[in-house]
Every structure is written in structure tokens, then in C-alpha cells.
Amino acid sequence: MTSDLAGLLFLAVFALLIPGAALAIPALIAPKGTVDLTPYESGMKPVGSARLRFSVKFYLVSLLFIIFDVEVIYLYPWAIRLRDLGWPGFFEVVMFVVILGVGYLFILKKRALDWD
Amino acid sequence: MQLLAERIATWLGMEGLPRQAVVAGVVLVVALVVATVVLTIAGILTWAERRVAGRTQSRVGPNRVGPLGFLQWVADGIKLITKEDVIPAAADRTLFRLAPYPVIVGIFAAFASVPFGQKLIAADLNVGVLYLMAITSLVVVGVLMAGWASNNKWALLGGVRSAAQIVSYEVPSVLAALSVVLLAGTLSLQGIIGKQGGWPWEWYLFYNPFTFVAFFLFFTSAVAEGNRTPFDLPEAESELVAGYNVEYSGMRFAGFFLGEFANVYLLSAIATALFFGGWQIPGVTPDMQAASPVWQAVGVGLFALKAGTGAFVVLWLRWTMPRLRVDQLMGLCYRYLLPLSFAMLLGNAAYVWLVPQWAAWVVQGATTTVGLAVAGVFVRRVFYHIRHVGDDVSLDLARGESGTFDPQLQVRVYGAFRRRHAGDSAS
């Protein structure tokens, strides 16, 4: 197990080194200063900066993600021990999902999932 | 892996070396091998994608570099290395430079616990499934960094879209994988494969109707997580040019590109391990496989075949399906996939408790029969259409008589095809 974790660490380091090495070569041989450095916006002159606030409704998506992802993580230990926990465990998870379902219906009723 | 390290140490006659040094050495080599394999797989897939695209669109695709254009990806790599690494003047330089790293680390590190074979796994973690789901989420960070740092409106929109999409579709894919975890009672991928068998009716895909549906949920959300068509809104070329990587060039672009294609193989490999019996060979028990290197090689080949077929389907999808709209995308995830995957999870749990063993056998057989029948009908339809088109346009038409490339021939045959079908729309 320890060596497995060490393997992961080494692989992560390699994953960092490979693009690092791949980027070092162009730094040596690739040409420099051949292109215009303005943002590419289909040949139009960029209007303003992209550092702007815009409502893309994505903050709601990330809130929903946090809710559901945390719930899913709670389900993992139960799933592994399903056979040991038996009916009591099953009904507890059903309760858990029912409460989650009520929240889901609330989200639907609040029209949080509608785009407009 | 520690056992492997000890065996190698004995084999080399180096028992005297400190144990940790040997383990570290073996781990280092394994990491290097995995990294090389991932790069090669991703490279080959970029070539495969262009061949598939060519065939789907009745054209040739790359066929000049090497046999069937196979070395095209090497040529592309060399080209990308010699290209300037452009950093726009308005960009956030540090973040812009760092952005490809999380993407590559996320995908590469995930390959560490992909069971390519019975003994061929870099790290058989006891939390394998959870680890895979967690580490691939690193991609979101890189994509958001790239999108914001580029200081380009296309990139910003693409990056934010991509982040929203990846995190949303993670929930159904994790839940669908949970259906299998629940049946296997373990998170280790080797353990999950060990609970299945070589024959199709022993796969979790056909275990019961709930897992059958769970597979499609998993596959759909995994494709969406990988930003592949029909869910490639972050890179929608017709509206966002290239999305979050629009400002990237040279090797930094190659980082995102290889990450995407490695992810295609990764999702097929995970699906193979969870639903398709992984390296299990029909008629060969895991013990028999462990005893014989030949069977193990066959198992590795079988895994590569299954995962390769999955990757082919993902490539095929890209050239067949139209793209969704952003509002449809989120609606699909939260309205349909999420409740469905919860239903499949509870259905599976109830199935384990309610259905007695004899009934489970019947259900398994019925699911296998129906599933294989559905797959058979689908494959027959595909071949029917290919053959139907083949009457008019040969798939090999551009090769010509002597096996050499003849563009004129393609033009001629296509012209004949169009003339024959000229009246179709009128009648």
C-alpha cells in the first residue's frame, strides 16, 4: 500500500516533468516574436477586456454540484458495506435519498434548473 | 508492487540493497512506463480520430506519414514542438503557463490505477474508483485557469462552461459507478474485475437491468466530463472558436489536446473495468490466468481490445451526433441523468436484498439476452446503412485500382453519387 502511494506520487511528478521537458525544447528551438500578441477574437479588434463580471448562471450549478457531490460521498461507505448493514442500512439510505429528493423537488419548484 | 520489487531484487541478485531503495527504483520505472504508455495511447488516438472522421465523412483522412498515415501523430508532435509558444500580451503570464499542468497531471495520475492486466497495474488502490473520480477532477482547475488567464472572451466563456459541465456530470457518473461498487462490495478496480467473469453474462453490464441502464448513464456522463461531442460546448468551434484553449499554441496546446484524448481512453478503460469484465478471459479463471504468462498476455490484449472499442465508439459519436445547446446540457444532467442514477442505485440495492439467487440467475440471463439482442440489432442497422451507401460510394474509392491515391477517382465517384440522388429531394 505504501509503495502504491509512492507510485502515485512518482507518477504525478512525471506528469509534471513531461510537459515541463516538452516545453523546454520549444523554448530553445522555436521562433519567437512571430505573431501579434493581441487576443484572438476571430480577427476583430478586441473590445474591452475579458476581465469582466458576467452572470452565466453557473454559480447555481456549482452550488448544486456541492450539494449532490457531498451526498454521493456519504453513500460510498454504505455501498461497500451494503451486505453487512442489511435492511436497516438500506432503509436509512432510502430516508437519506428521500430527504435529498425533497430538496431536489424544491430546486425544481424554484425553477433553479430553468435556464431563463 | 512491493512483492514485485522483491522478486526483481532477487532476480537481479541484489537482495543486499536496502528494501526501500529497490521499491523506489521499481516504482520509478513503473511510473516512467505508465507515462510513456499514456502518451502513446493519446497520440495514437489523435490519429485514430482523424481516420474515423475521414471514413465517416467518406474521405480518406491522414494517409501520408507511415502506413495508413499511422505516424501522423509523431509528425504532429514534432511540428508542435517547433512552433512558437505564444503568450498573449494581455494574459496573466503565470497562470497561462501553469494551466496545462493540472490537466495533464489529472489524467496521467488517473492512469496509475487503471488495471491494464491482472498484474499490469501501477497502483492497485483499495479506494481505486474514488481515487479515479477525485484525481480526474483536477482537470477543472486547469481548464478554468486557462480560460481566465487567456484574457480572451472566447476562452473565458469556454472555461466557465467547461467547469460547470465537468462538475455537473461528475455527479451522475460517480453515482452510476456506485451501482457497481455496491454489487462488488469493494472500491478496488482489480477487486471489481475479480467479481466478474470472462463471458458476457458474467459482466456487471448484464448483471441486472439496473446495471445495464447504469452503464449508459456512466458512459454518457463520462463523455460529457471529457468535453467530447455531443457535449463539446466548451470547445464549440462554431460559436467559441476553440473555447478555453483558443490562445494556446505549440506544446502548451498539445498538453490540452493529449489530455483530452488520454481521457477518451481513460473513460473507456474505466467502463471496461467496471462493466465489461476487464481482463477476464472467457473460460479462464483468474487463478489459471495468474499461473500462466500466456493467459495474462491474452488478458491484457482483451482489455486493450475492449477499451479500444469503447474509445472508437467515443470517436464515432463525435462525427455522428450534433451538439447540444448549453441549456439542454444542464437540463439533461440535472433533470434526467441525476434522478435516473439515484433510481438505479436504490434499485440495485433493493435487488441485492429482495431477489433470491435462483431469480437472480434468470434475470441475469434475460438481461444478457435482451442486451445482446439490442446490441445485435444496432450493429446490424449500422452495417445495413454502410452497405446501402456502399452501393453508391465505395469506402475504398479513393485508393483506385492500383492501390495508389487518386483524387480524381474520388471526385468522379462522388459526382456519380450526386447525380444518382439528384432527384431524391424533389420526388
Side-chain angles (χ1 to χ4, degrees):
Chain A
M1 192 58 209
T2 323
S3 73
D4 281 344
L5 291 178
L8 294 185
L9 190 71
F10 272 113
L11 202 74
V13 171
F14 268 111
L16 281 171
L17 285 181
I18 286 171
L23 286 168
I25 302 168
L28 295 174
I29 60 172
K32 284 187 185 64
T34 56
V35 289
D36 185 11
L37 293 181
T38 52
Y40 173 73
E41 294 186 358
S42 308
M44 305 282 286
K45 236 180 162 186
V47 180
S49 150
R51 301 273 182 268
L52 40 89
R53 295 181 184 201
F54 66 122
S55 172
V56 279
K57 310 183 195 296
F58 291 138
Y59 73 96
L60 252 180
V61 171
S62 53
L63 278 178
L64 294 178
F65 160 72
I66 290 173
I67 297 168
F68 286 109
D69 216 37
V70 171
E71 310 301 332
V72 169
I73 290 305
Y74 279 122
L75 289 176
Y76 262 88
W78 162 73
I80 297 169
R81 287 275 161 260
L82 174 78
R83 286 183 174 79
D84 307 339
L85 293 175
W87 281 112
F90 178 70
F91 281 118
E92 274 171 36
V93 164
V94 169
M95 291 269 287
F96 185 76
V97 174
V98 164
I99 293 170
L100 195 64
V102 172
Y104 180 75
L105 284 180
F106 178 74
I107 293 168
L108 277 183
K109 280 282 163 208
K110 277 281 180 186
R111 308 180 69 81
L113 296 177
D114 292 359
W115 197 250
D116 291 310
Chain B
M1 191 183 277
Q2 256 158 351
L3 277 172
L4 181 73
E6 270 161 24
R7 228 182 301 149
I8 289 176
T10 326
W11 185 57
L12 291 174
M14 291 196 302
E15 294 94 333
L17 276 180
R19 190 192 153 87
Q20 281 85 351
V22 178
V23 170
V26 169
V27 162
L28 199 80
V29 171
V30 168
L32 191 63
V33 169
V34 170
T36 318
V37 166
V38 176
L39 273 178
T40 317
I41 288 174
I44 292 173
L45 272 181
T46 64
W47 163 79
E49 157 119 323
R50 295 170 66 186
R51 292 295 296 189
V52 170
R55 288 301 185 188
T56 312
Q57 299 170 343
S58 286
R59 55 188 176 83
V60 187
N63 67 346
R64 286 311 168 94
V65 193
L68 289 175
F70 180 73
L71 295 175
Q72 184 68 42
W73 61 280
V74 182
D76 285 345
I78 294 168
K79 182 198 77 177
L80 283 169
I81 280 184
T82 56
K83 290 287 175 187
E84 180 178 355
D85 181 19
V86 181
I87 301 176
D92 184 315
R93 292 184 73 86
T94 320
L95 277 184
F96 189 85
R97 281 158 175 274
L98 284 179
Y101 289 88
V103 175
I104 294 179
V105 173
I107 302 292
F108 272 49
F111 270 90
S113 65
V114 170
F116 292 101
Q118 195 179 25
K119 300 277 173 65
L120 210 61
I121 180 168
D124 182 21
L125 300 174
N126 54 5
V127 289
V129 176
L130 199 59
Y131 166 78
L132 281 173
M133 299 298 171
I135 200 83
T136 46
S137 299
L138 261 184
V139 173
V140 183
V141 180
V143 165
L144 259 184
M145 272 163 83
W148 189 81
S150 298
N151 204 350
N152 178 318
K153 283 139 209 148
W154 302 137
L156 182 66
L157 271 172
V160 176
R161 270 189 194 182
S162 182
Q165 180 178 329
I166 295 173
V167 298
S168 301
Y169 278 86
E170 197 173 294
V171 180
S173 84
V174 169
L175 274 171
L178 198 57
S179 285
V180 167
V181 170
L182 186 135
L183 295 173
T186 172
L187 281 168
S188 151
L189 284 165
Q190 294 288 39
I192 290 172
I193 294 176
K195 288 273 165 76
Q196 303 175 64
W199 297 104
W201 53 86
E202 294 168 320
W203 295 348
Y204 274 141
L205 175 67
F206 297 129
Y207 191 79
N208 61 34
F210 299 111
T211 50
F212 191 67
V213 176
F215 163 71
F216 288 99
L217 294 173
F218 175 82
F219 192 71
T220 312
S221 9
V223 168
E225 263 189 89
N227 295 334
R228 296 285 305 182
T229 318
F231 309 103
D232 70 335
L233 292 141
E235 294 167 39
E237 63 271 14
S238 51
E239 37 181 316
L240 291 183
V241 192
Y244 57 86
N245 56 24
V246 63
E247 290 291 1
Y248 282 85
S249 62
M251 281 317 278
R252 266 177 233 283
F253 167 73
F256 287 115
F257 198 61
L258 287 178
E260 183 185 326
F261 279 90
N263 192 35
V264 168
Y265 192 81
L266 180 68
L267 82 88
S268 320
I270 298 174
T272 306
L274 292 181
F275 294 98
F276 289 90
W279 37 256
Q280 297 262 24
I281 307 166
V284 179
T285 61
D287 292 335
M288 278 159 73
Q289 207 183 132
S292 151
V294 180
W295 281 128
Q296 276 182 42
V298 174
V300 171
L302 210 56
F303 185 90
L305 184 74
K306 287 172 184 170
T309 311
F312 169 71
V313 171
V314 178
L315 300 185
W316 176 15
L317 273 179
R318 171 156 182 197
W319 302 100
T320 313
M321 309 284 282
R323 183 180 299 130
L324 270 70
R325 285 200 319 262
V326 154
D327 55 334
Q328 295 170 328
L329 182 85
M330 290 303 156
L332 176 70
C333 176
Y334 283 109
R335 274 178 213 281
Y336 301 103
L337 296 186
L338 186 68
L340 255 180
S341 48
F342 264 113
M344 291 310 124
L345 179 70
L346 290 184
N348 255 322
Y351 182 88
V352 168
W353 285 112
L354 289 179
V355 180
Q357 189 56 51
W358 62 268
W361 287 118
V362 175
V363 170
Q364 205 165 343
T367 317
T368 314
T369 318
V370 172
L372 287 180
V374 167
V377 167
F378 177 71
V379 170
R380 237 195 97 175
R381 288 302 293 179
V382 169
F383 276 97
Y384 170 78
H385 283 295
I386 290 177
R387 227 175 286 135
H388 194 65
V389 172
D391 295 342
D392 299 320
V393 181
S394 161
L395 286 176
D396 297 321
L397 57 91
R399 277 216 199 97
E401 298 284 313
S402 59
T404 50
F405 178 71
D406 180 6
Q408 279 306 313
L409 182 66
Q410 185 165 20
V411 171
R412 268 204 317 278
V413 178
Y414 182 60
F417 176 74
R418 286 191 57 176
R419 274 193 299 282
R420 197 178 304 174
H421 290 274
D424 281 6
S425 53
S427 57

